[in-house]
């Protein structure tokens, strides 16, 4: 099959093949731009970024946010109630101190390394440090209790309840005679 373009397009023959050079140049420019875009896209993909609609680099990777509820129970025998602080100033129990034999749920963002400070009045009773958090939704259960019968020192017991449909029980013996 042979197509004679000169009959339907007389300028092709008159151009002397210059149009082929222009077409090849345009194709080469288009290929260069396309390959540059592919290289840029690939380099952004390796870094986990993309170009936002406003022309700035963003990221495809979003941090997964898990819902960690904190359940604290006061098993420290005494007449004075306990205040709980996350870090130095964020008081978790804003509705009032937690009396002996009470539990409260707190919804607060938590991360590994956070410290929970327990105070009786102005005195520091103890500090619990969160070393690690599960990579799923969970209830973090923390019990403050008496360390021994000879001092007023506190101790902590903790447990993580997984996000399951089944009922879960944690039995923690805090009795110190």
């Amino acid at each position: 099959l042979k197509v004679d373009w000169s009959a339907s397009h007389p300028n092709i023959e008159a151009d002397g093949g210059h149009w082929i050079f222009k077409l090849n140049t345009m194709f080469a420019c288009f290929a260069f731009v396309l390959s540059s875009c592919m290289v840029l896209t690939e380099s952004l993909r390796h870094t986990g970024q993309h170009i936002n609609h406003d022309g700035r680099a963003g990221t495809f990777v979003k941090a997964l946010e898990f819902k960690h509820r904190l359940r604290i129970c006061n098993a420290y025998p005494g007449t004075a109630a306990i205040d709980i602080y996350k870090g130095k100033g964020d008081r978790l129990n804003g509705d009032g101190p937690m009396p002996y034999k009470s539990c409260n749920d707190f919804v607060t963002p938590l991360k590994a390394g956070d410290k929970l400070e327990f105070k009786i009045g102005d005195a520091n009773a103890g500090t619990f440090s969160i070393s690690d958090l599960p990579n799923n939704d969970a209830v973090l259960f923390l019990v403050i209790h008496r360390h021994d019968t000879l001092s007023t020192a506190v101790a902590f017991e903790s447990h993580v309840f997984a996000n399951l449909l089944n009922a879960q029980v944690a039995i923690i013996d805090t009795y110190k005679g």
Side-chain angles (χ1 to χ4, degrees):
L1 178 67
K2 185 175 179 182
V3 177
D4 184 13
W5 289 97
S6 61
S8 59
H9 300 309
N11 289 339
I12 291 177
E13 194 64 39
D15 196 9
H18 188 65
W19 68 274
I20 294 175
F21 175 75
K22 287 182 181 178
L23 186 61
N24 284 341
T25 304
M26 285 181 14
F27 179 73
C29 289
F30 176 73
F32 175 74
V33 170
L34 182 62
S35 65
S36 297
C37 289
M38 290 175 63
V39 168
L40 177 62
T41 302
E42 192 62 27
S43 69
L44 289 175
R45 182 177 300 134
H46 285 300
T47 62
Q49 295 183 341
H50 68 282
I51 301 296
N52 290 333
H53 66 278
D54 58 355
R56 294 182 296 166
T59 181
F60 285 118
V61 180
K62 281 192 169 184
L64 293 176
E65 293 184 25
F66 300 110
K67 183 180 174 188
H68 296 131
R69 272 197 344 247
L70 180 62
R71 179 169 296 144
I72 299 176
C73 292
N74 180 4
Y76 187 84
T79 56
I82 293 177
D83 283 313
I84 305 157
Y85 295 86
K86 186 174 105 179
K88 294 291 182 189
D90 186 17
R91 184 175 174 198
L92 294 181
N93 56 333
D95 56 343
M98 284 180 60
Y100 175 53
K101 296 184 184 179
S102 68
C103 296
N104 283 344
D105 279 8
F106 304 97
V107 179
T108 182
L110 296 172
K111 63 184 182 305
D114 280 348
K115 296 189 183 313
L116 301 174
E117 294 186 16
F118 293 79
K119 294 185 177 187
I120 299 173
D122 288 334
N124 189 9
T127 303
F128 182 84
S129 181
I130 298 173
S131 60
D132 200 12
L133 292 168
N135 291 327
N136 56 351
D137 294 346
V139 175
L140 311 171
F141 182 53
L142 179 61
V143 179
I144 182 172
H145 63 94
R146 190 173 178 174
H147 183 268
D148 56 41
T149 59
L150 302 175
S151 71
T152 58
V154 300
F156 298 98
E157 300 297 329
S158 63
H159 177 75
V160 175
F161 289 104
N163 191 22
L164 301 175
L165 295 176
N166 305 6
Q168 300 170 63
V169 176
I171 299 172
I172 299 175
D173 183 6
T174 61
Y175 180 73
K176 298 293 184 205

